[in-house]
Each structure stands twice: as C-alpha cells, then as structure tokens.
Amino acid sequence: MKLSLSSVFMVAMTILLAVGVAEAKMIKIGEAQIVSHPALDKDAEGFKAALAEEGFIQGKNVKYDRQNAQGEQPNCAIIARKFEDDRVDLIHAISTPTAQAHVKISKNIPIVYSSVTDPVATEIVPKEGATGTNVTGVSDRWPVDMQQKMYMEMAPAAKRWGTIYNPGDANVAVHIKIIKETILKLGGTFVEAHVANSSEIMQAAQSLVGRVDAIHITSDNTVVSGYESLTKVCNQNKIPLFAGDRDSVPRGAIAAYALDYFQVGYTAGKKAARILKGEDPGKVPAGRAEGYSLWVNLKHAKEQGLTLPTALIEKATDRLWDENGKLIKIKGLDE
C-alpha cells in the first residue's frame, strides 16, 4: 500500500513526538535526610551538582522530592514508605538511620547512601565494593582516633574529656567507642552526656560544666544540628570545644580534622549517575570518602580560654581564622 507524502509526514511527526515525550520523561529522585545541619546539607548539594554534570538537571529531566526527618528516627520509615509508594526512580539516603529505613522497605528501587559511618556493621550493605544488591554509596567514616590525638595535642592540659550524643544513633556508637579507648590509652578520663533531641543539648552541656576540661563532638547529627547551644555553654565556661566535622568550626568549634561533605555527596552523585545511565547498582562499588583537612579558629580558642601551640596552628593548611574571626586564605581557598 502506497502512502501519500502528507501521510508519511504525519507518521514521521508522530514518531518524533513520541520520542520527544520519552526523552522529556522526568526522573524522580527521592532524597531523605535525617536532620538539617551544614555538613549534611552540603552532602545534598554535592550530590545534585554531580548529577547535573552528568546531564541530570533539576527541572529539566530530574525532579527531586527532598524529605527531612527532623531528627526523629520514626520519620525515616514514613519517608521510606512514601518513596516506595511513589515509585521514585532512585533514592539518595543521607545518614545511617535514613539509609537503614530505606534499605528495609525498598528492595527494588536503587538506593545510594552517603554520610554513613559503617554501612556494613549497620547492615545497609553486605560488604564494600560491588554489593550485589540494589544499594551502593559512600561512607564518611572518620579517623576519630587520629582526631582525638590531635585535639589532645592542641589542649595538652585537658585530662577530662567529655562528649554529648544521641545513643539511638548507630553511627555515633562506633565513634564514641574509639574516642573513649583513645582517651583512656593516653591517660585521660571520658565523660558522656546523652540527648534524645536538639532541645536537650544546652542542658546536657551544662551537666558537663566542672566535670570536663574539653569537649569533642563527633558524628552526632542531633547535637550538630543545635551546635550553637553547645557553643554558648563552652564560651561562658571556658571549655575548649572540638568537632568531628569541619563545618562546625565556623559555628563555634576550635578545630576539626575532617572531610569535605560536598565531596561526599558529589561522589555519591557520580554513583547515582552511573545507575541512572543503566548500570546495575549492585555492580557500582560502595566505598569510602577521601580527603581530610584541618580547620582552626583562633577566635573560638580565645573565647574558650585555650592558647594553641604554634606548631599545630601551622598545620592548619586549609583554613585558619584569626583571633578577630577573619578567615586567612591559605593555598588559594575561597571564603
């Protein structure tokens, strides 16, 4: 049967329109975060930036459904169920409680986790590398023993070390155990204060006054989300405060030897792009973030009554704030 020129044109246009509709299909990404604070927020920014570089651009071919559990772990399961019911194309799970909830509920949707300390011990993946499951991602496991040793060098007179954390966060338990072992090995003592939510931080900090000489806050999302309350108590009582994440340094900590969380999310985003381009998530290797840097704030040290050894100040080769709070640019880093 012969087709007229106009019929051929109409068929061709129909095919092109169908292809255009297919190409215009929006990819739905569900992104879940346990709580808002600078490190995790930067993780999310890095993830989105990496996907954009790979052609997955918000508003063009990607739609993000960003959910925040507001620091309440039961909300993680609610969000996970929502993403499952909505049949999103991929899930980005930021932090351990979030990733655990999504792995439990979603068995077929690809899941990319980030900012998870120990994904194997917390049963998010069976192993690092190719997991053989629908899950891959990036661990932010910190060198907490090295951090604690460095902070003890910065505050050599401090023998009684304290911390505040939410014991319900599986991430933190790993870090606390290592920190405690390191302090005891070096002849110090260790005091813990527990919180269930950010509203309890100030009271917990006040409970440490007179009992500790310095405080080290590790990967606890609950405490970091309300860091300003802790800083206020430390400044009022001249208690040196050290952080596990570097974004807490501008917020009140004296120092942090830590990761760039934008890079953590960026690395996870590159893994997500591979999956969206057709790779099996079980064959995209799960791994650890790399690249640590030392940030030091002399203004906060002064406010908290600590004079830092000059040799250690010189090690702050990434970012250093002077006693007036002015950022001194080093190695070309921007403010």
Side-chain angles (χ1 to χ4, degrees), residues 145-209:
D145 54 341
M146 188 182 300
Q147 288 176 325
Q148 183 61 45
K149 289 176 182 176
M150 184 178 292
Y151 302 158
M152 292 178 84
E153 289 179 23
M154 290 182 169
K159 303 301 180 185
R160 302 174 300 169
W161 284 80
T163 195
I164 305 170
Y165 70 101
N166 181 349
D169 190 332
N171 249 352
V172 188
V174 177
H175 285 183
I176 295 298
K177 181 176 182 293
I178 298 172
I179 289 173
K180 182 177 181 179
E181 290 173 350
T182 302
I183 291 170
L184 296 179
K185 189 181 296 183
L186 294 175
T189 59
F190 189 55
V191 182
E192 302 176 15
H194 298 166
V195 295
N197 54 62
S198 58
S199 66
E200 299 175 358
I201 296 172
M202 181 167 285
Q203 184 178 354
Q206 290 169 339
S207 76
L208 294 177
V209 176

Side-chain angles (χ1 to χ4, degrees), residues 58-110:
Q58 182 177 12
K60 181 179 179 182
N61 56 358
V62 172
K63 180 180 179 181
Y64 286 89
D65 182 359
R66 242 178 94 67
Q67 298 289 325
N68 192 313
Q70 304 299 329
E72 301 292 337
Q73 294 193 32
N75 289 343
C76 295
I78 295 172
I79 295 168
R81 177 53 61 189
K82 178 185 187 300
F83 289 168
E84 178 70 16
D85 292 343
D86 292 347
R87 298 181 181 179
V88 299
D89 297 299
L90 183 139
I91 294 169
H92 178 210
I94 304 175
S95 82
T96 298
T98 304
Q100 287 175 314
H102 287 280
V103 167
K104 185 176 181 179
I105 290 174
S106 296
K107 303 299 182 182
N108 297 310
I109 299 173

Side-chain angles (χ1 to χ4, degrees), residues 273-286:
R274 291 172 61 178
I275 295 167
L276 292 175
K277 289 179 179 180
E279 286 193 51
D280 181 345
K283 294 181 180 179
V284 177

